[in-house]
Amino acid sequence: MSGAISFADCDLKDAKIVFFGVPYDSTTCFRPGTRFGPDSIRDASYNLENYDLFLKKTTGGIADMGNVTPTTNYEEIREEIGSFFAVMGKRFPVVAGGEHSITPLIVEQVKKIHKNMHVLILDAHLDFREKYMGSSHSHACSTRRTSEIVGIENVTVIGVRSASEAECEEANLEYFTSFKVKSKLKEVCERIKEINDDIYLSIDMDCFDPSFAPGVGNPEFYGLSPFEVRTIIESIGNMVGFDVVETNPLFDKGNTSCLAAKLIQEIVLRV
Ligand code: MN
Ligand code: MN
C-alpha cells in the first residue's frame, strides 16, 4: 500500500481522529475498482496543505491505521471493521472505501457509542433496494441496511437523482433530490441545522456531478458541486463519524481522489 495519508501526524495513542481504508468492492454492479480507492486517496492527499486558510486551522491529532485486510467476503469485512473499532475505541472514525456497502458496517460500530444518531447520506442513488443481484449486502442496498440499524426516521439522503420505481414507493425516508439542492440549498441546510442528534456523515462520491468526480462506479449526471457539498457540511452540527466511499481510480484522472482527499481534510479540520 501507499504511505499514510498526508494529514496523519501521530500514533494511535495520541490521536483523536483515526483514518483507515476498506478496499472492498465485491458487489459493485457496473464498474469495479473502488478497492483501489483508499490508497489513491492517500496519494492524492499529498497535494493538499495541512492548513485551511478559510477555517484558519491546521490538521492535527490524526493516525492512519492502514487498510483492513482485503477480502471479498462480507462477513469477514464486518469482522475486520469491528476489530479496527475495538482498537480505536471512541476516537472519531474517518473511513475511505471501497464500495458503499461498508457504511452500515461502520454505522453499527459508531451506534454502539452514540445512541442518538442521525445518518446523513450524500448520494446520487437512493440505495434502498431490499436485495440487488441476489445480495442484501449490495452497495445498492446500503441506505436500507443503514436505516435498519438507526431507524428510518434517523436517515436523510441528499443529492438523489436515480432510483427504481419500487425504491421510490418503499423509501418512506427523508430525501432531497439534487434538483432541490440546486434550487433550495438554503432550505436544505436549514433542515440539517435542525438535527440535534449526533450526525454520522456518509459521502458516496457519485453525489457529485461526474464532471467533478468521474471516477466512480455508477456515474449519474445532474449532480452536486463541491461548493454545494461544502455548504452542506458547514451546516452539520455535532459530527461523530465520516466515510467517503465509491472512489474508483480506474475511471479517474485523479480528480475524484483529490476531491475525496479534500473532503477528508475538511472533515478532520471540523472535528
Ligand atoms: Mn451509494
Ligand atoms: Mn451512488
Side-chain angles (χ1 to χ4, degrees), residues 23 42 46 66 95 157 163 172 185 192 195 213:
R42 283 189 180 93
Y46 285 86
V95 185
V157 191
N172 51 341
L185 180 59
I192 297 166
I195 302 170

Side-chain angles (χ1 to χ4, degrees), residues 36 44 50 60 104 123 137 150 189 191 195 219 234 245:
F36 304 113
N50 291 340
D123 202 322
H137 299 302
V150 298
C189 290
R191 162 61 192 135
I195 302 170
E234 279 167 353
V245 294

Side-chain angles (χ1 to χ4, degrees), residues 19-73:
F19 173 80
F20 69 93
V22 182
Y24 173 81
D25 64 1
S26 272
T27 77
T28 302
C29 52
F30 184 47
R31 314 196 297 200
T34 60
R35 78 188 76 168
F36 304 113
D39 287 350
S40 178
I41 292 168
R42 283 189 180 93
D43 289 345
S45 70
Y46 285 86
N47 175 50
L48 299 170
E49 299 283 359
N50 291 340
Y51 179 72
D52 185 292
L53 85 167
F54 301 108
L55 295 169
K56 298 191 179 2
K57 272 179 79 179
T58 303
T59 58
I62 303 152
D64 185 342
M65 280 177 66
N67 294 339
V68 304
T69 306
T71 165
T72 56
N73 182 292

Side-chain angles (χ1 to χ4, degrees), residues 70-256:
T71 165
T72 56
N73 182 292
Y74 194 72
E75 280 310 314
E76 285 173 15
I77 279 292
R78 169 179 271 143
E79 282 171 29
E80 283 287 324
I81 290 173
S83 68
F84 267 50
F85 270 88
V87 173
M88 61 190 271
K90 292 183 175 175
R91 295 174 179 85
F92 187 102
V94 175
V95 185
E99 59 172 59
H100 212 169
S101 49
I102 67 170
T103 296
L105 302 180
I106 303 160
V107 166
E108 72 185 4
Q109 296 294 331
V110 179
K111 172 85 174 154
K112 290 179 188 169
I113 303 161
H114 302 279
K115 304 292 179 203
N116 299 318
M117 192 168 81
H118 196 100
V119 180
L120 203 58
I121 299 168
L122 273 59
D123 202 322
H125 309 93
L126 264 182
D127 289 351
F128 204 76
R129 285 177 154 92
E130 175 53 36
K131 258 187 175 186
Y132 193 61
M133 293 169 82
S135 173
S136 57
H137 299 302
S138 163
H139 66 162
C141 310
S142 62
T143 298
R144 189 146 184 165
R145 298 289 89 82
T146 298
S147 70
E148 288 163 359
I149 298 164
V150 298
I152 199 159
E153 67 283 9
N154 296 314
V155 177
T156 304
V157 191
I158 298 174
V160 179
R161 53 205 185 269
S162 171
S164 69
E165 192 176 359
E167 278 178 288
C168 290
E169 284 166 5
E170 293 169 18
N172 51 341
L173 82 170
E174 179 180 55
Y175 68 89
F176 299 100
T177 66
S178 58
F179 293 86
K180 180 86 175 181
V181 174
K182 289 282 166 195
S183 60
K184 300 263 183 333
L185 180 59
K186 213 173 162 193
E187 210 175 281
V188 173
C189 290
E190 287 306 317
R191 162 61 192 135
I192 297 166
K193 284 177 189 165
E194 284 172 8
I195 302 170
N196 289 319
D197 289 337
D198 295 330
I199 294 179
Y200 179 89
L201 175 65
S202 175
I203 297 187
D204 181 329
M205 288 302 287
D206 67 33
C207 74
F208 292 102
D209 193 82
S211 56
F212 296 109
V216 295
N218 301 80
E220 191 70 44
F221 276 89
Y222 304 111
L224 308 182
S225 75
F227 267 112
E228 286 156 351
V229 170
R230 186 174 171 120
T231 306
I232 288 166
I233 291 171
E234 279 167 353
S235 35
I236 295 175
N238 187 38
M239 203 192 302
V240 293
F242 169 64
D243 70 61
V244 57
V245 294
E246 298 285 344
T247 301
N248 185 340
L250 302 184
F251 293 88
D252 200 18
K253 284 198 164 65
N255 292 13
T256 313

